Amino acid sequence: MKQIFQLMFLIVLLLLATLKTSAQDLSNTFHSRLSSETLKNAPVKLIPYPQEVTWGSGLIAITNINISDFDALPVSIKKLLQQLFNESTVSKETSDFSLKFIQNNNLEDEGYSLEVSDKGIEIQYKQKAGWYYALQTLKQLTTLKNGQTHIQSCVIKDAPKYAIRGFMLDVGRNFVSLDVLKAQLDIMAQYKLNVFQWHLTDRPAWRIESKAYPQLTEAKNHRPTRNPGKFYTYDDIRELITYAKERQITVIPEIDMPGHSDAFTTAMGFAMHSENGMAALENILIEFFAEIPVNMCPTIHLGSDEVHIDNPKAFMDKMIGICHKYQRDVMVWNPGLEITHDVIRQTWQSKHIEGKGYREIDSWNSYINNSEPMTAVPKLLFKPIGYQSENKVLGGILSLWPDVRLEKETDFINQNPLYPALLTYAWATWTADIEKSSDRYLTMLPSKDTEGYDYFSAFEDYVLHHKQLYFKDLPFPYTAQVKQEWKLSEPLSKEAALLLEETILNNKNLDTTSWKSAIGNTIIIKDRFKQGGYYPEAEVGKTVFAISTIEAEADIKIKTWIGFETPLRANRTYTGIAQEGQWDANGGAVWVNGKALPAPKWKNPGWKPSNQSGWGTKEDQELPWADEELYWTRKPVEIALKKGTNTMVFKVPSTTEYQNWMFTFAPLEAGTTTQVSNPYSEHYYSRKALFEASPDTENEIIFLGNSITEGGRWEALFPNHNVINRGISGDVTDGILNRLDEITSSQPQKIFLMVGTNDMARGKSIAYVLKYTKAIIEIIQKQSKNTTIYLQSILPINPNVGHKFSGHKSNHQNIIDANIQLKELAKSFTIQFIDLHKAMRDKNNHLKAKYTYDGLHLSDAGYVKWKKEINKYLK
């Protein structure tokens, strides 16, 4: 018996160690140079965020400004200034408020400094790029109120983390006019992206003028469905490069060789890698370089990916040699044909981990067409540029491949989360402050009560702010999702799923305590590319249920995006459009308050692509995406909500291994909040499971509360007593109520309770805290009649220590008021109230600085003081 007990004890110790290690690992999966508090407290939501910024006291009204030598300024600079200040504001004469430009060769090439004070604006720069970027930042600092310009006072010193911050668009498959391309360059420039990769040739068409071989651009040699005969003249190419250069953007043309060359082969009658093909390509490159000089095009991209030829070395040696002869740097895709030259590799797969020290541009996992809107933003944000590479990473290029035929040339914008992705990528390549992250975030949002969650919450506010300010009339498919919470069942067999569905439809009590917590508008259960999801190992044929609640202040109707499997826009392969009356081709369903939500009326019900896995057929690739196939391009769904709590249930089955197993629910209007039935963190459930696995002992003295309790080393503080730590970081009053059965099961001798600060930090009222604290005491007294309860006051906070927990620190007075009422509550139960607030506060009623390291949590000295105050109650 003794041996069994010892074995059980060892198992518990191992479990404790494992959970502790897991908790430490989880806390270490994210690290950023900028804190979430820094981002939340910034008076202006700048994208990208500067490397260094000191905010001034407020806005400065500009009535008149003196810009020296305005007429002599470069055209691009003058255009920016004219956007910021109207003609009546700009004075050529002496003014008390001036704008000065100072060249400073000590700054980085693209760096700048910007100071805005009541005396004026001073911009320092080394090169024109820094000058231009400083004005882009100034533009975001500027607001117009009642017709008058106001600028936020500040001091900024800034420079990009990466030299290459780009966007690639494939126009070889679908032609895009210069005007539309210029509009994209304008947006890139606004967010300091500086490279446009122009993928000019591909299987369907050759888009570059050719004087030597005019047949390359003839309509008969292009795919008849892909804008045949559409191409760019050399004048067009020079025009776009000039336009980009004015905006500090370098254009990198891509002439794809020797693969993706069907149009070339059709027009010329021979393959690129043949002897005739290489001779023709030499003439094409020489002509291109003669028309587009090196100062306009210092780098050329040669493709080289997704092809196998019998003479790879000879081919690449010749093509790279020609480019080098004409002083062009060369880029190629990686993986691609093997190359020994010093060229730039653009990584498109994770197979780049060679660590050979070559120059590298990161495009891995940054294809916009392979993401859907809600997961594209966190995926791009959380993956550090050059992730796991040991090469010389120059930066990154965000890529968009509209392989499927476009009905309208701008559909590449409508059908992809282009602008949310561009803003996020600008941050990832310029600010680049996320130094450590988790692969989990490629397919899911960080868990609540983690640094990653707080950071993303702050960043999401920035994205939505820019959406409202600069993208009102443009497609911007992203909505707030950080507060959208779900509970997910485990993957269920067909029989188990039917039983659970019956329970849900009959409004029977459903215990979701053991269900997995999830956050976001889109929940990926299992990613097609095996990059993760909430159940990455789930078997085909299983079904997951998801539950969330929506709180409505009145009977209202809201508009939402609802979807299941999201097709990837480069490949027309997925399970297809649902049958009439259904939501999902795989059998998915939605219920609101126990009633089935009617599915959309499909225009093409039951349509399926020819292939359910692999690559789409040529015929299917020529079918443009219909609006109804993508949840953000079809008409939003209107849902009627009742006042109070509304329950959303999603049934999400899996039917194929290639399926993107997922669902989306994205409210488009404010006025509602969503939360799960048990809105607790993964840490909460881990700790709760650990407590329940621990054996009961005699004469337990339990310390019950949140992170402040969890952080106490109570066994060391009270070595002569059987003290038990039952604190859980982030816990709230109803969280403690949810786990009281385990607390009272040992019939403890004493319980020291402290709770309430997290409730108020999350917007709960003092009355709410009192209500649930009262319920906690009542249940303890009912379930463990001989337990002595000590109600401890909520600790004070110190807003002057640390830069985190602003939500807690703003409740300074609420904590004082709550403690007065908690004391009265203790009196009504005839239990001891311990006023730790009084014992640990300074003259300003703040937590004494020596008792805390961050303004909320306690230092060792704080716990020693706590022990001193309660020591007499343990005797």
Side-chain angles (χ1 to χ4, degrees), residues 313-332:
K313 187 177 187 305
F315 182 87
M316 294 309 297
D317 282 354
K318 183 174 181 65
M319 296 305 125
I320 293 171
I322 296 166
C323 296
H324 284 171
K325 181 180 178 181
Y326 287 87
Q327 293 84 48
R328 311 301 166 119
D329 206 354
V330 175
M331 279 176 63
V332 296

Side-chain angles (χ1 to χ4, degrees), residues 724-797:
I724 306 294
N725 190 334
R726 288 295 183 263
I728 298 182
S729 178
D731 208 358
V732 287
T733 50
D734 62 312
I736 287 178
L737 268 177
N738 186 55
R739 59 188 178 95
L740 274 183
D741 287 348
E742 184 277 324
I743 301 295
T744 59
S745 65
S746 65
Q747 301 293 295
Q749 181 186 5
K750 301 174 186 289
I751 292 178
F752 288 82
L753 171 66
M754 181 192 292
V755 70
T757 189
N758 289 330
D759 292 80
M760 290 189 288
R762 298 178 187 184
K764 301 297 185 183
S765 65
I766 294 173
Y768 181 94
V769 172
L770 289 169
K771 174 184 176 181
Y772 281 92
T773 303
K774 179 182 177 184
I776 291 168
I777 296 170
E778 288 175 340
I779 290 175
I780 293 173
Q781 289 184 336
K782 180 180 179 181
Q783 295 181 353
S784 186
K785 296 179 180 179
N786 296 321
T787 299
T788 303
I789 302 172
Y790 298 90
L791 180 59
Q792 301 167 111
S793 68
I794 303 171
L795 291 182
I797 49 84

Side-chain angles (χ1 to χ4, degrees), residues 155-228:
V155 177
I156 292 175
K157 186 175 181 180
D158 198 12
K161 178 70 177 291
Y162 291 103
I164 302 295
R165 308 176 302 281
F167 169 57
M168 189 229 76
L169 182 64
D170 167 21
V171 299
R173 292 179 173 92
N174 290 279
F175 183 84
V176 178
S177 64
L178 285 189
D179 287 343
V180 174
L181 292 178
K182 287 177 180 179
Q184 311 320 305
L185 294 174
D186 288 341
I187 293 171
M188 289 175 63
Q190 184 175 339
Y191 293 99
K192 305 184 178 74
L193 293 165
N194 69 342
V195 168
F196 176 57
Q197 182 179 341
W198 201 3
H199 187 83
L200 286 160
T201 67
D202 214 286
R203 298 184 191 280
W206 187 276
R207 305 293 188 193
I208 307 169
E209 178 184 0
S210 178
K211 295 177 179 178
Y213 308 107
Q215 64 266 37
L216 283 171
T217 56
E218 289 181 6
K220 67 179 181 179
N221 294 321
H222 292 175
R223 195 177 297 176
T225 53
R226 300 298 183 99
N227 321 112

